[in-house]
C-alpha cells in the first residue's frame, strides 16, 4: 500500500525489505544501508466513455464462470497505476534516476541495475496472496473415462421424470455411468443438496463416474469422479450416455450446474440487511481508531476480531504505545516477527493515517453523490500470512470461525509474551468446578483457566413458543403438499435463560466416588473463581442437526448493555463440608506379578477411539481412571489433551524404559530439519519430537511452551535432561489472573451472517465515545440501530465503581 501513499515506498537494495518514508531513516540509521529503490504510484485518471452512459463505465456483467480475472469470471479490482522508479541515496536523499546510472562506474551500474531488475520482477506478498487469475472450471480428463466398463443390463433412462431410487428425491440427481443407477447427490453444509445416496453407492460398488442429470446438453455435462474426488472431463461421454439410451444432442439443461450453484452462493447476500444496517444510509466516520480493513478474500473474521482487540488498552499499550522500541529492536527480517507485525497492524488501525476516503467514488458505476464510507483502509496481508502460517485453516482463504481465530491469536500472544507484559491477561480467568458425590455429599474442587464464556442457547425457553410451533406445523403442511415453505420466525430467547443454563448443576452418572469406593451419581457446578478485566461471551449458536450437518440457530437474545455476574462467584470449600478423599481408583495390577498388562475395559477404550482420540491415549485414560467408565475416562482425556506424551504408549511402573528414551529410535529427518530451520538446536528439535510422538505441529507447539526449560537445560544425547525427568521438577506456579468486581458494560460485539461458520460474513460493532460504530471491512460508519440481539461474540469491560 505504501507505494500508493504520498511518500512512496523505499526498498532496501540489500535485504529487499520495503519501508514507508517515515521508517526508511530509521532503517538507514540502524543498518548503514545507503541505496534504496524508491517506487511511487499514481492512479491513472479514468477515461471518459460515452457521455450518455451516466458513469462512464459499462454496467458490470454477471459472472458466468467460477473464475477470477478470466473472461466471464469474477473481476479482479484492476487498479490502474502509473509507476515511477528511481534510486535514492541516504542520508541526504540524493536521487539517481535510471538514466543517471549510465554515467556511473561499470561495477556500480551493473550491481544497481541487477538489483532493480530483481526487485521489479519480485512478487509482493499482496500479489502472491491475491490470485491474479484462477479458473475453477478447468477440469482434467478422468483416468476412468477411456476404459470405463458399462454393464449390459438393458437399462434405458427416460429423458425426464427422474427420482432417487432410494429416497425419491427429484433434484440433484446423478446417474452412475457404469450401471445407470439414478441416486441423489451429497448433502451441503447448509443442509441443502441431497442425501448422499450416490456417494454411498460408489462406496459399496466402486463404480467411479456419475453424470448430473439435467446438466446434459450437446456441449457436455457435469461428470464427477468419486475415485478422483473431483469434477472431471469424460471425452467418451456421448457413447457412455447412449449406452443407456440418452442422446446428448437432443438434451436440454434443466438443472443448475455445480458451477452455477457455486456462483450463486458467492453472490448471494440476502437476509443480512439487519446486521449490516443496510436499510439506512450510514454516515461515514474517519480518524484515529476508525480505520477500515480490506477483505483479503473471506478475511472478515480476522478483521472483526483485530478491530475489537485494538480497542482494549492492554493491546494498545503492548503493541502501539512503544512502537518505536519494537521497530528499533525488530530482527533483520521483520516480516516473520510476531511483535513487529502485530504492532504494525495496531498502529495502522489506531493512528488514523490510513482512515481516508477511498479514491473518487465518481469513478465507480451507479454511485450517487452520497459518500459511501469506503476507506483506503489497511490490508493486513503480512499479518494474516504470519498468524496463519502452518495452521490447516487460518493459512487458507476459506471463511473461518471468529471465536476459533480469537483463541488462536490469544495462544500466539501467550507464546510470544513469556517475559514482559502479556495483554491476553485482560481475558484470562479461573473457573472453579465443584463435584459433589450424591451418596456421601462429599465434594471435590478443581480449577482451570479460560478466556471465553460459552453461553448455551436453551431453545425450549423461547418466549414465542406458540408462534414457532405454529410455523413448524405450517412448514410440515407445505412440505406434504409440495408448496414453498413459509418464512420461519426467529426464536426469542431471554438472556437470563442462557445464564441460568450456564450456572445450573450438571448431573454426572457413572461418577467413581473415592468416598464410597464405587460408581454413583454426582452433580457438577461451574462458577467464576476470578472475574477478568474484559469478559468475552460466545453465544453457542452453531450446533449439529440430528444428521450431523452443521447448522446455526436462528435466535434473537436480549443481550444487556450492563451485566452483574457477582452471584456466579465461586465460594470455595464451605464450612463443615467434607472433601472427597484423594484415593487412587482400585488397582489394576495383580500383587503377585510385578508388571502385568492391565486388564482394560475394551468397550470403553473403543468408545473413546471412535470419538477420534489416539488409541494409546484412550488406553491410558481407562487405566488411570481405574476402569470406572466412559465419563471418568473422557474427563481424563479432556484434562490431558495438552500433555506432551498424550499419545505416547502406556508405560506401567517398573517396566524397562519409557518409549523415546533410546537414542537409536528413528526420528523423521524432514521434521527435524523443519524445526532446526526455525532457529532451534538439533537436540531441542529431537526432544520436542520425542515428546510428541513425532507429530510436527504438536512438536512445534511443545517447543514454544517449553522455551524457558529448553534454554536453561543441558540436553543430553538421549533427549532427556541431565537434571532428572520432567516430572521431578517443580510444577510452574499457577497462571496470573486479575480479579475484581463482576459488574460489566458492553463495548463491542461481532455478528455472523450465513448458515454455518464456514460460510457467510462477519462485521463488528464497537462503542467509541458513547457512539456505536459499525466496522464492515473497509466501511466504517456511525451505527443507527446496532443489532445487539443477533451477535455471536460479545465483549464486556469491567465497570469500576
Amino acid at each position: 500500500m505504501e507505494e500508493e501513499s504520498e511518500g512512496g515506498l523505499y526498498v532496501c537494495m540489500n535485504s529487499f525489505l520495503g519501508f514507508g518514508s517515515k521508517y526508511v531513516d530509521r532503517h538507514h540509521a540502524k543498518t548503514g544501508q545507503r541505496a534504496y529503490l524508491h517506487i511511487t504510484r499514481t492512479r491513472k485518471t479514468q477515461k471518459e466513455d460515452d457521455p450518455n452512459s451516466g458513469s462512464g463505465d459499462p454496467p458490470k456483467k454477471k459472472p458466468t464462470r467460477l473464475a477470477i480475472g478470466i473472461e466471464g469470471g469474477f473481476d479482479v479490482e484492476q487498479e490502474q497505476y502509473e509507476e515511477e522508479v528511481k534510486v535514492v541515496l541516504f542520508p541526504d536523499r540524493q536521487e539517481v534516476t535510471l538514466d543517471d546510472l549510465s554515467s556511473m562506474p561499470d561495477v556500480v551500474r551493473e550491481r544497481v541495475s541487477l538489483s532493480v531488475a530483481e526487485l521489479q520482477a519480485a512478487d509482493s506478498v499482496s500479489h502472491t496472496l491475491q490470485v491474479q487469475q484462477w479458473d475453477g472450471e478447468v477440469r482434467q480428463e478422468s483416468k476412468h473415462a477411456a476404459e470405463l466398463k458399462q454393464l449390459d443390463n438393458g437399462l434405458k433412462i427416460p429423458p425426464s421424470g427422474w427420482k432417487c431410487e432410494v429416497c425419491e428425491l427429484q433434484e440433484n440427481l446423478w446417474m452412475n455411468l457404469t450401471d445407470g443407477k439414478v441416486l441423489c447427490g451429497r448433502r451441503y453444509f447448509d443442509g441443502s443438496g441431497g442425501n448422499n445416496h450416490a456417494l454411498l453407492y460408489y462406496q459399496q460398488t466402486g463404480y467411479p463416474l456419475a453424470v448430473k442429470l439435467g446438466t446434459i446438453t450437446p456441449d457436455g455435462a457435469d461428470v464427477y469422479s468419486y475415485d478422483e474426488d473431483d469434477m472431471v472431463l469424460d471425452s467418451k461421454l456421448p457413447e457412455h450416455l447412449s449406452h443407456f439410451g440418452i442422446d446428448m444432442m437432443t438434451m436440454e439443461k434443466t438443472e443448475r450446474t455445480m458451477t452455477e450453484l457455486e456462483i450463486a452462493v458467492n453472490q448471494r447476500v440476502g437476509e443480512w440487511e439487519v446486521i449490516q444496517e443496510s436499510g439506512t444510509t450510514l454516515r461515514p466516520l474517519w480518524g484515529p481508531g476508525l480505520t477500515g480493513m480490506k477483505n483479503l478474500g473471506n478475511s472478515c473474521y480476522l478483521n472483526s476480531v483485530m478491530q475489537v482487540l485494538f480497542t482494549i488498552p492492554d493491546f494498545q499499550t503492548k503493541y502501539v504505545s512503544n512502537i518505536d522500541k519494537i521497530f528499533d529492536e525488530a530482527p533483520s527480517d521483520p516480516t516473520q516477527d510476531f511483535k513487529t507485525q502485530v504492532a504494525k497492524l495496531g498502529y495502522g488501525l489506531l493512528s488514523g493515517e490510513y482512515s481516508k476516503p477511498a479514491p473518487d467514488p465518481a469513478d465507480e458505476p451507479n454511485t450517487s453523490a452520497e459518500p459511501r464510507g469506503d476507506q483506503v483502509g489497511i490490508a493486513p496481508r503480512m499479518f494474516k500470512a504470519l498468524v496463519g502460517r502452518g495452521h490447516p485453516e487460518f493459512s487458507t482463504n476459506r471463511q473461518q470461525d471468529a471465536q476459533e481465530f480469537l483463541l488462536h491469536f490469544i495462544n500466539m500472544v501467550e507464546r510470544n509474551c513469556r517475559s514482559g507484559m502479556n495483554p491476553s491477561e485482560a481475558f484470562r480467568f479461573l473457573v472453579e468446578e465443584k463435584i459433589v458425590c450424591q451418596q456421601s455429599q462429599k465434594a471435590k474442587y478443581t480449577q482451570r483457566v479460560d478466556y471465553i464464556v460459552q453461553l448455551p442457547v436453551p431453545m425450549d425457553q423461547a418466549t414465542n413458543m406458540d408462534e414457532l410451533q405454529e410455523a413448524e406445523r405450517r412448514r410440515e403442511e407445505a412440505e406434504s403438499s409440495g408448496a414453498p415453505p413459509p418464512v420461519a420466525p426467529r426464536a426469542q430467547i431471554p438472556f437470563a435463560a442462557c445464564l441460568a443454563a450456564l450456572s445450573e448443576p450438571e448431573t454426572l452418572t457413572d461418577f467413581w466416588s473415592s468416598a464410597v469406593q464405587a460408581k454413583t451419581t454426582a452433580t457438577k457446578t461451574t462458577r467464576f473463581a476470578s472475574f477478568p478485566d474484559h469478559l468475552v461471551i460466545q453465544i453457542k449458536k452453531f450446533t449439529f442437526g440430528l444428521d450431523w450437518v452443521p447448522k446455526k440457530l436462528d435466535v434473537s437474545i436480549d443481550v444487556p448493555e450492563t451485566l452483574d455476574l457477582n452471584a456466579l462467584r465461586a465460594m470455595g470449600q464451605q464450612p463443615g463440608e467434607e472433601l472427597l478423599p484423594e484415593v487412587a481408583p482400585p488397582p489394576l495390577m495383580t500383587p503377585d506379578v510385578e508388571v502385568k498388562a492391565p486388564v482394560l475395559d475394551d468397550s470403553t477404550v473403543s468408545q473413546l477411539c471412535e470419538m477420534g482420540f489416539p488409541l494409546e491415549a484412550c488406553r491410558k485414560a481407562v487405566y488411570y481412571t481405574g476402569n470406572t467408565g466412559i465419563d471418568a475416562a473422557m474427563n481424563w482425556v479432556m484434562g490431558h489433551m495438552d500433555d506432551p506424551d498424550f499419545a505416547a504408549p502406556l508405560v506401567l511402573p517398573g517396566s524397562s524404559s519409557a518409549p523415546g528414551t533410546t537414542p537409536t529410535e528413528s526420528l523423521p529427518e524432514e521434521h527435524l530439519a523443519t524445526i532446526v530451520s526455525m532457529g532451534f538446536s538439533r537436540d531441542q528439535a529431537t526432544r520436542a519430537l520425542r515428546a510428541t510422538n513425532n507429530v510436527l505441529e504438536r512438536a512445534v507447539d511443545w517447543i514454544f511452551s517449553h522455551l524457558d526449560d529448553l534454554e536453561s537445560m543441558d540436553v543430553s544425547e538421549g533427549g532427556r535432561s541431565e537434571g532428572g525427568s520432567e516430572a521431578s521438577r517443580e510444577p510452574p506456579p499457577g497462571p496470573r489472573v486479575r480479579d475484581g468486581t463482576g459488574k460489566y458494560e458492553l463495548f463491542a460485539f461481532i455478528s455472523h451472517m450465513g448458515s454455518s461458520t464456514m460460510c457467510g460474513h462477519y462485521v463488528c460493532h464497537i462503542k467509541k465515545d458513547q457512539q456505536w460504530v459499525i466496522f464492515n471491512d473497509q466501511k466504517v460508519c456511525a451505527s443507527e440501530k446496532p443489532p445487539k440481539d443477533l451477535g455471536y461474540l460479545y465483549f464486556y469491560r469491567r465497570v469500576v465503581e
Side-chain angles (χ1 to χ4, degrees):
M1 293 293 294
E2 285 287 354
E3 60 263 46
E4 292 145 40
S5 66
E6 288 159 33
L9 181 71
Y10 292 83
V11 183
C12 165
M13 296 183 75
N14 263 335
S15 67
F16 294 177
L17 295 171
F19 302 91
S21 72
K22 263 179 75 167
Y23 295 105
V24 63
D25 290 310
R26 179 195 299 264
H27 185 256
H28 159 69
K30 187 172 167 181
T31 60
Q33 170 69 18
R34 289 198 58 209
Y36 292 83
L37 189 69
H38 186 218
I39 307 172
T40 43
R41 283 170 148 198
T42 46
R43 198 174 154 124
K44 291 180 189 167
T45 49
Q46 297 279 330
K47 289 195 208 59
E48 283 299 321
D49 281 346
D50 168 18
N52 305 326
S53 73
S55 67
D57 274 313
K60 285 207 169 118
K61 280 200 204 132
K62 271 192 150 176
T64 53
R65 282 181 80 79
L66 187 63
I68 296 173
I70 286 172
E71 178 65 33
F74 288 82
D75 279 345
V76 179
E77 281 183 44
Q78 282 297 352
E79 298 280 18
Q80 297 301 313
Y81 290 102
E82 284 168 356
E83 200 165 74
E84 189 192 343
V85 178
K86 50 184 177 291
V87 176
V88 176
L89 302 177
F90 278 67
D92 20 10
R93 300 209 182 202
Q94 179 194 345
E95 295 187 356
V96 181
T97 64
L98 298 187
D99 300 339
D100 298 343
L101 276 178
S102 53
S103 61
M104 301 229 161
D106 289 355
V107 58
V108 176
R109 188 175 65 240
E110 275 174 25
R111 251 200 88 181
V112 173
S113 306
L114 200 64
S115 265
V116 171
E118 275 188 37
L119 277 169
Q120 289 185 301
D123 258 357
S124 68
V125 175
S126 64
H127 203 274
T128 320
L129 280 179
Q130 178 193 21
V131 234
Q132 282 300 300
Q133 269 198 356
W134 169 75
D135 195 339
E137 295 180 47
V138 177
R139 293 179 183 170
Q140 303 299 320
E141 176 75 12
S142 169
K143 63 182 183 191
H144 301 288
E147 303 294 327
L148 187 73
K149 300 265 187 295
Q150 292 188 287
L151 306 185
D152 285 319
N153 52 13
L155 192 61
K156 293 290 175 249
I157 300 294
S160 63
W162 313 293
K163 55 186 180 194
C164 171
E165 294 180 29
V166 178
C167 67
E168 309 224 326
L169 202 66
Q170 292 174 16
E171 60 201 36
N172 191 8
L173 298 175
W174 296 75
M175 180 189 85
N176 195 295
L177 288 173
T178 301
D179 65 353
K181 259 263 192 263
V182 175
L183 296 162
C184 62
R186 63 181 78 197
R187 167 92 31 107
Y188 304 133
F189 245 140
D190 61 0
S192 66
N195 295 313
N196 293 325
H197 289 132
L199 175 63
L200 293 168
Y201 188 66
Y202 158 72
Q203 288 164 353
Q204 291 160 16
T205 62
Y207 299 158
L209 299 183
V211 61
K212 187 174 187 184
L213 294 174
T215 66
I216 303 168
T217 68
D219 300 327
D222 272 1
V223 177
Y224 190 78
S225 166
Y226 291 102
D227 175 46
E228 293 154 289
D229 196 16
D230 211 347
M231 302 298 294
V232 291
L233 291 177
D234 173 4
S235 49
K236 286 191 165 181
L237 188 61
E239 64 184 78
H240 289 158
L241 289 172
S242 68
H243 180 89
F244 296 109
I246 298 174
D247 179 0
M248 220 165 122
M249 302 320 282
T250 62
M251 294 298 283
E252 286 182 16
K253 189 161 102 45
T254 57
E255 272 264 351
R256 292 203 285 182
T257 63
M258 301 308 283
T259 302
E260 287 169 330
L261 285 171
E262 197 128 335
I263 287 173
V265 166
N266 278 309
Q267 285 186 300
R268 187 181 66 221
V269 187
E271 150 292 295
W272 306 12
E273 285 76 14
V274 188
I275 288 177
Q276 298 191 98
E277 302 190 52
S278 41
T280 47
T281 306
L282 298 177
R283 178 171 58 88
L285 298 174
W286 322 98
L290 297 166
T291 307
M293 287 172 82
K294 278 198 171 167
N295 193 326
L296 309 176
N298 284 331
S299 64
C300 50
Y301 67 93
L302 174 147
N303 293 357
S304 298
V305 167
M306 297 316 297
Q307 289 282 15
V308 175
L309 289 185
F310 273 110
T311 56
I312 292 173
D314 300 74
F315 285 87
Q316 295 176 353
T317 308
K318 173 81 182 182
Y319 294 110
V320 184
S321 302
N322 57 353
I323 191 158
D324 290 337
K325 186 167 183 287
I326 292 175
F327 284 176
D328 286 340
E329 293 171 1
S332 56
D333 181 4
T335 61
Q336 304 304 311
D337 182 51
F338 181 79
K339 204 193 274 183
T340 306
Q341 292 307 321
V342 179
K344 186 174 97 175
L345 175 66
Y347 179 78
L349 291 178
L350 297 177
S351 65
E353 281 179 28
Y354 304 93
S355 179
K356 297 182 179 134
D360 216 4
D363 298 344
E364 307 279 334
N366 312 328
T367 49
S368 60
E370 285 288 344
R372 299 164 312 159
D374 279 30
Q375 296 192 2
V376 174
I378 54 177
R381 294 191 177 98
M382 242 172 230
F383 172 80
K384 181 176 188 290
L386 181 68
V387 295
R389 196 178 64 208
H391 189 283
E393 284 301 331
F394 300 128
S395 57
T396 70
N397 271 354
R398 292 193 289 271
Q399 186 56 279
Q400 303 300 339
D401 185 342
Q403 181 256 2
E404 285 180 15
F405 177 73
L406 174 59
L407 281 178
H408 170 72
F409 184 71
I410 286 176
N411 270 326
M412 289 193 84
V413 171
E414 292 280 11
R415 278 207 303 237
N416 284 281
C417 296
R418 298 209 169 275
S419 55
M421 178 202 168
N422 181 344
S424 59
E425 272 177 31
F427 301 124
R428 197 188 290 152
F429 61 97
L430 288 174
V431 177
E432 176 192 273
E433 288 184 348
K434 172 184 180 179
I435 296 179
V436 179
C437 158
Q438 290 301 289
Q439 211 167 321
S440 65
Q441 289 304 310
K442 292 182 179 176
K444 169 184 171 189
Y445 289 88
T446 52
Q447 284 194 341
R448 61 180 166 83
V449 173
D450 218 329
Y451 297 90
I452 294 182
V453 177
Q454 295 187 310
L455 266 199
V457 180
M459 295 298 283
D460 55 350
Q461 306 276 313
T463 53
N464 57 340
M465 199 51 106
D466 296 349
E467 187 191 1
L468 293 170
Q469 285 168 344
E470 171 62 19
E472 178 57 25
R473 194 182 58 70
R474 286 208 310 274
R475 190 191 65 76
E476 284 169 4
E477 270 175 20
E479 203 169 76
S480 56
S481 67
V487 177
R490 184 169 283 139
Q492 311 277 339
I493 313 283
F495 183 79
C498 302
L499 260 191
L502 176 77
S503 55
E504 265 168 19
E506 183 188 341
T507 304
L508 306 177
T509 51
D510 279 1
F511 172 74
W512 191 84
S513 163
S514 56
V516 293
Q517 287 285 307
K519 276 191 196 178
T520 178
T521 311
T523 56
K524 180 168 104 180
T525 323
T526 308
R527 290 286 183 269
F528 289 89
S530 72
F531 285 119
D533 287 355
H534 291 77
L535 180 78
V536 189
I537 292 181
Q538 176 195 17
I539 304 291
K540 292 179 74 176
K541 290 188 170 188
F542 295 100
T543 173
F544 285 99
L546 295 173
D547 46 11
W548 286 96
V549 174
K551 65 172 187 178
K552 177 172 147 190
L553 305 175
D554 187 18
V555 290
S556 161
I557 300 175
D558 57 337
V559 176
E561 290 251 351
T562 58
L563 195 56
D564 186 347
L565 296 177
N566 281 308
L568 294 181
R569 187 180 276 283
M571 307 304 280
Q573 188 179 353
Q574 295 302 296
E577 183 178 55
E578 285 188 61
L579 294 182
L580 281 165
E582 289 282 333
V583 182
L588 292 171
M589 292 182 291
T590 44
D592 51 302
V593 182
E594 190 195 351
V595 177
K596 185 175 170 189
V599 183
L600 296 178
D601 180 348
D602 284 342
S603 71
T604 311
V605 174
S606 59
Q607 262 178 288
L608 283 174
C609 283
E610 279 163 18
M611 294 176 192
F613 300 111
L615 170 65
E616 288 298 340
C618 302
R619 294 187 63 222
K620 279 195 284 203
V622 174
Y623 171 70
Y624 288 122
T625 52
N627 280 340
T628 53
I630 186 74
D631 281 357
M634 189 73 198
N635 285 340
W636 189 92
V637 165
M638 289 310 185
H640 291 78
M641 280 172 82
D642 294 334
D643 293 4
D645 58 352
F646 179 63
L650 170 60
V651 177
L652 303 175
S655 62
S656 58
S657 83
T661 52
T662 51
T664 52
E665 191 188 344
S666 70
L667 290 168
E669 198 52 51
E670 66 276 16
H671 288 2
L672 275 171
T674 303
I675 298 176
V676 169
S677 75
M678 295 166 77
F680 296 101
S681 72
R682 200 179 160 87
D683 279 345
Q684 292 170 332
T686 305
R687 277 203 72 206
L689 285 165
R690 289 234 164 94
T692 54
N693 258 25
N694 296 341
V695 179
L696 179 60
E697 287 78 11
R698 289 193 42 220
V700 172
D701 271 348
W702 186 93
I703 218 165
F704 277 114
S705 56
H706 290 72
L707 282 178
D708 305 346
D709 312 342
L710 289 170
E711 282 156 15
S712 63
M713 197 173 282
D714 178 14
V715 181
S716 72
E717 184 43 39
R720 295 269 170 212
S721 66
E722 299 294 352
S725 75
E726 192 110 358
S728 66
R729 286 203 318 282
E730 282 298 300
R736 283 183 39 166
V737 290
R738 308 173 191 169
D739 197 4
T741 166
K743 285 192 170 176
Y744 291 95
E745 64 178 351
L746 184 68
F747 72 93
F749 59 95
I750 293 175
S751 314
H752 172 269
M753 298 148 265
S755 53
S756 107
T757 47
M758 295 300 133
C759 63
H761 182 58
Y762 287 96
V763 303
C764 68
H765 284 75
I766 303 176
K767 204 174 197 176
K768 303 240 173 188
D769 305 325
Q770 301 309 305
Q771 150 85 65
W772 281 100
V773 179
I774 174 171
F775 291 82
N776 185 353
D777 289 335
Q778 268 168 277
K779 286 189 175 67
V780 179
C781 298
S783 166
E784 302 272 334
K785 289 199 281 281
K788 292 196 278 271
D789 60 325
L790 298 179
Y792 172 48
L793 295 175
Y794 291 88
F795 294 79
Y796 285 86
R797 62 166 76 96
R798 194 195 317 279
V799 180
V800 182
E801 305 281 290

